Amino acid sequence: MKTTVEYIKTTPDPYKSYNLAQGYKVDNMLYISGQTAYGDDGKLIGINDFDLQAAQTFKNLKRVLVAGGSSIENVIKVTIFLKDMSNFNKIIDLRHEHFTSPYPADSIVEISSLYSADALIEIEAIAVTNNAIKKI
């Protein structure tokens, strides 16, 4: 059996100028690049506003998942990069808002900077496709 690899493309694609993919679908698995709070115009929104950036980041994550034939419900692993770990409790609330039990495996890391000095959060994800069989 051959492995099927498909490029995941979104419109708009704010990553095009950075020469990287939004993600890849490999058989029934999706590997999603780190999503941030870019708007449809490719510009960062919510400067100095973690809540606004987090909401947009999840919106962008969901867009890429759907483009790859999946959904937020099918995320099995996330890595969340925070510029300030004082937002950790907000992440717990966001996990409850966007995910359901059993929650995805998760790593949360504080870093000194993201692709932009004004970016406060980035989320990368691994998910299964909508037609994958999940046993929980």
Side-chain angles (χ1 to χ4, degrees), residues 35-36 44 46-51 53-54 57 79-88 90-91 107-123:
Q35 299 297 304
T36 59
L44 186 67
I47 305 299
N48 298 320
D49 186 334
F50 179 82
D51 296 332
Q53 285 197 18
T57 298
T79 303
I80 302 173
F81 301 96
L82 298 176
K83 203 163 166 194
D84 185 349
M85 196 57 85
S86 70
N87 289 307
F88 180 80
K90 290 182 178 185
I91 292 298
S107 297
I108 300 176
V109 181
E110 182 181 69
I111 59 173
S112 61
S113 185
L114 292 163
Y115 80 101
S116 165
D118 293 320
L120 303 174
I121 181 172
E122 183 172 324
I123 303 174

Side-chain angles (χ1 to χ4, degrees), residues 32-112:
I32 308 301
S33 289
Q35 299 297 304
T36 59
Y38 55 81
D40 287 346
D41 61 0
K43 295 180 182 174
L44 186 67
I45 66 165
I47 305 299
N48 298 320
D49 186 334
F50 179 82
D51 296 332
L52 189 58
Q53 285 197 18
Q56 185 67 38
T57 298
F58 271 97
K59 179 180 175 184
N60 293 338
L61 176 60
K62 290 175 183 180
R63 180 186 321 189
V64 179
L65 289 164
V66 168
S70 189
S71 66
I72 196 79
E73 292 82 14
N74 291 335
V75 171
I76 58 173
K77 170 70 169 90
V78 292
T79 303
I80 302 173
F81 301 96
L82 298 176
K83 203 163 166 194
D84 185 349
M85 196 57 85
S86 70
N87 289 307
F88 180 80
N89 286 333
K90 290 182 178 185
I91 292 298
I92 294 171
D93 293 339
L94 288 165
R95 287 176 55 79
H96 181 71
E97 178 182 339
H98 293 282
F99 300 114
T100 57
S101 182
Y103 295 97
D106 189 342
S107 297
I108 300 176
V109 181
E110 182 181 69
I111 59 173
S112 61

